Amino acid sequence: MSASNQHLVRLIETISDSSLKAAGNKILKGERISFDDGVHLFEKGSLPFLGALANYVREGKHGDKTYFNRNFHIEPTNVCVFSCKFCSYSRLYAHKEEGWELSIEDMLNIVKKYDGQPVTEVHIVGGVHPKMNLHFFVELFKAIKAHRPDLHIKAFTPVELDYIFNKAKVSVEEGMRILHEAGHDSLPGGGAEIFHPEIREQICADKVNAEGWLAIHRAAHDLGMHSNATMLYGHIEKYWHRIDHMDRLRNLQDETGGFNTFIPLKFRNKENDMSHVPESSVVEDMKMYAVARLYMDNFPHIKAYWPMLGRQNAQLTLNFGVDDLDGTIDDTTKIYSMAGSEEQNPAMTTADLVALIKQVKRQPVERDTLYNIVKDYSEAVLEEA
């Protein structure tokens, strides 16, 4: 038994709470923790205890490897037919003059800006605009693939897809097939928020429900597409709502195996209808990442979205179960900066990200969207751009 394992065994032995001790021993043995275990870890687990357990699982899966990719974002529009209370980004269709709408040519020009650069992914998400229909996005994907066939298109939340498919009068399965054949490679994890209707009906009642969200990801997985999953935490939900959310995802992953990563997203309260709700503390953030790593045992990766947390807090998560810091991104990403994220101009060079990871003694590894290794930066010396 390694020294770190011996330390964890001793730590578990010092726990007086029998339920916490039982959960810790399950994790040490590689056994699945239960719904009640998850809730109890949130309620009674100390931050050092949760961090030690989560780091044990993280290092068991990935060692010190910490992944990132080179990507850029396209946001077709912030005009939206939905009115989510936590959203600081969208503009209702009735006030569309306050938002933006990009044409296919506009978006292709953004792609062309990265010609000759070693980006591997374009991430496309935005508002739900009535005029941007299935045909529009089929043409967009075909245009991107015609220009740069190797660029991975990660696009659309189930919120967007549900509306697009309903408008086109196609089933989820048929809609996903049409988009996949046009060049749609994978799904991001957005739009999940909190699955339980008790919370969902209060914060985003008019968009696709939990069953619809999960059905779209299941259909993508059935086509051989991979996807991510998120959870918006730190607002009006309770701990058991978080575990309920993660449990539904864990069950679907048992069924399909199609998820790459789970991404807890911190609620930010700037310029939205939930500005009166205080944001979670850094301690609560770290607990969230740690419990996610412990509960989501069948998810290969746990990701911290660094623009939302800030660079230093993102570094902290690497000791609380996180093995992925997303990508270099660029300054066109408005969804989180408009909500009051720590990073108002979320851009980092590869050198920035590598340095960030090395500062906390982790191993920086550039990946593609599907976690194939592009380059290991363990020994690389990079100059700032």
Side-chain angles (χ1 to χ4, degrees):
M1 183 181 293
S2 69
S4 61
N5 286 9
Q6 289 174 351
H7 171 74
L8 185 56
V9 169
R10 289 194 297 271
L11 178 61
I12 292 171
E13 288 174 349
T14 67
I15 300 298
S16 59
D17 184 308
S18 60
S19 295
L20 282 182
K21 182 177 286 188
N25 280 318
K26 283 182 185 178
I27 291 160
L28 194 60
K29 295 174 185 176
E31 297 174 1
R32 172 166 284 185
I33 60 174
S34 69
F35 189 105
D36 290 342
D37 289 333
V39 175
H40 199 68
L41 286 169
F42 266 130
E43 291 177 344
K44 300 298 182 181
S46 69
L47 189 60
F49 178 65
L50 295 176
L53 289 172
N55 194 55
Y56 168 78
V57 175
R58 179 244 203 266
E59 292 186 355
K61 289 179 178 290
H62 305 292
D64 284 325
K65 289 186 176 68
T66 299
Y67 300 93
F68 68 93
N69 70 336
R70 300 200 203 194
N71 63 350
F72 65 97
H73 286 218
I74 294 176
E75 293 162 11
T77 183
N78 71 332
V79 175
C80 192
V81 298
F82 299 124
S83 56
C84 301
K85 293 186 182 299
F86 56 82
C87 185
S88 311
Y89 167 82
S90 67
R91 298 296 178 265
L92 287 172
Y93 186 68
H95 304 285
K96 59 182 181 294
E97 68 281 355
E98 299 174 7
W100 70 81
E101 304 171 23
L102 301 182
S103 67
I104 290 175
E105 183 180 6
D106 292 333
M107 289 185 273
L108 192 58
N109 285 337
I110 293 173
V111 173
K112 290 176 179 177
K113 282 171 49 183
Y114 294 89
D115 285 356
Q117 297 186 35
V119 294
T120 57
E121 171 191 292
V122 56
H123 182 131
I124 305 174
V125 294
V128 178
H129 194 301
K131 293 182 180 177
M132 293 182 173
N133 58 22
L134 183 61
H135 175 74
F136 178 89
F137 287 116
V138 164
E139 293 306 305
L140 172 65
F141 290 166
K142 287 181 176 179
I144 291 172
K145 288 294 188 179
H147 178 73
R148 191 165 177 173
D150 62 326
L151 189 64
H152 185 104
I153 298 176
K154 184 172 75 178
F156 301 149
T157 71
V159 179
E160 296 157 274
L161 293 169
D162 179 68
Y163 184 89
I164 290 167
F165 297 158
N166 283 331
K167 193 173 181 66
K169 294 181 172 56
V170 298
S171 68
V172 165
E173 293 75 16
E174 178 67 4
M176 287 306 310
R177 184 191 62 77
I178 290 168
L179 289 173
H180 186 47
E181 290 177 354
H184 190 184
D185 294 307
S186 69
L187 300 182
E193 322 316 354
I194 291 287
F195 285 147
H196 198 281
E198 182 175 288
I199 302 299
R200 200 170 189 84
E201 287 170 8
Q202 294 182 65
I203 66 173
C204 54
D206 54 352
K207 70 184 185 185
V208 66
N209 62 17
E211 291 71 25
W213 191 100
L214 293 165
I216 286 172
H217 280 260
R218 181 183 289 106
H221 297 171
D222 287 346
L223 289 168
M225 300 169 69
H226 286 265
S227 68
N228 297 336
T230 63
M231 178 174 68
L232 184 71
Y233 73 91
H235 43 92
I236 63 171
E237 87 286 0
K238 295 180 173 64
Y239 287 142
W240 74 265
H241 291 123
R242 297 183 191 180
I243 297 297
D244 173 79
H245 185 100
M246 291 191 282
D247 198 61
R248 298 182 197 217
L249 290 170
R250 194 170 74 172
N251 289 339
L252 181 57
Q253 181 74 333
D254 280 344
E255 179 186 332
T256 68
F259 288 112
N260 284 328
T261 186
F262 178 61
I263 313 158
L265 294 174
K266 180 185 176 80
F267 164 71
R268 306 308 298 244
N269 64 6
K270 182 182 178 183
E271 301 296 331
N272 58 43
D273 292 339
M274 294 176 67
S275 295
H276 61 286
V277 178
E279 294 179 359
S280 60
S281 67
V282 174
V283 169
E284 192 64 35
D285 294 337
M286 297 308 125
K287 284 180 66 175
M288 179 66 245
Y289 284 100
V291 175
R293 180 61 287 171
L294 300 176
Y295 201 80
M296 309 298 274
D297 54 22
N298 55 4
F299 273 63
H301 304 279
I302 303 293
K303 181 191 294 187
Y305 190 66
W306 65 261
M308 205 59 174
L309 291 170
R311 301 179 192 209
Q312 290 184 329
N313 289 343
Q315 280 181 317
L316 279 178
T317 67
L318 299 182
N319 289 318
F320 290 89
V322 168
D323 66 280
D324 189 322
L325 290 181
D326 199 78
T328 49
I329 314 184
D330 61 30
D331 62 5
T332 63
T333 306
K334 302 180 181 70
I335 290 176
Y336 295 114
S337 62
M338 291 172 73
S341 72
E342 297 294 331
E343 302 285 341
Q344 292 304 299
N345 294 296
M348 271 205 278
T349 64
T350 300
D352 291 335
L353 260 175
V354 167
L356 191 82
I357 294 165
K358 285 186 173 182
Q359 284 167 8
V360 289
K361 311 302 182 186
R362 296 296 191 181
Q363 177 185 349
V365 176
E366 182 183 349
R367 60 166 176 84
D368 65 12
T369 306
L370 302 181
Y371 287 84
N372 299 303
I373 293 176
V374 175
K375 183 174 181 178
D376 187 332
Y377 283 87
S378 301
E379 306 300 327
V381 178
L382 298 176
E383 296 182 0
E384 293 295 328

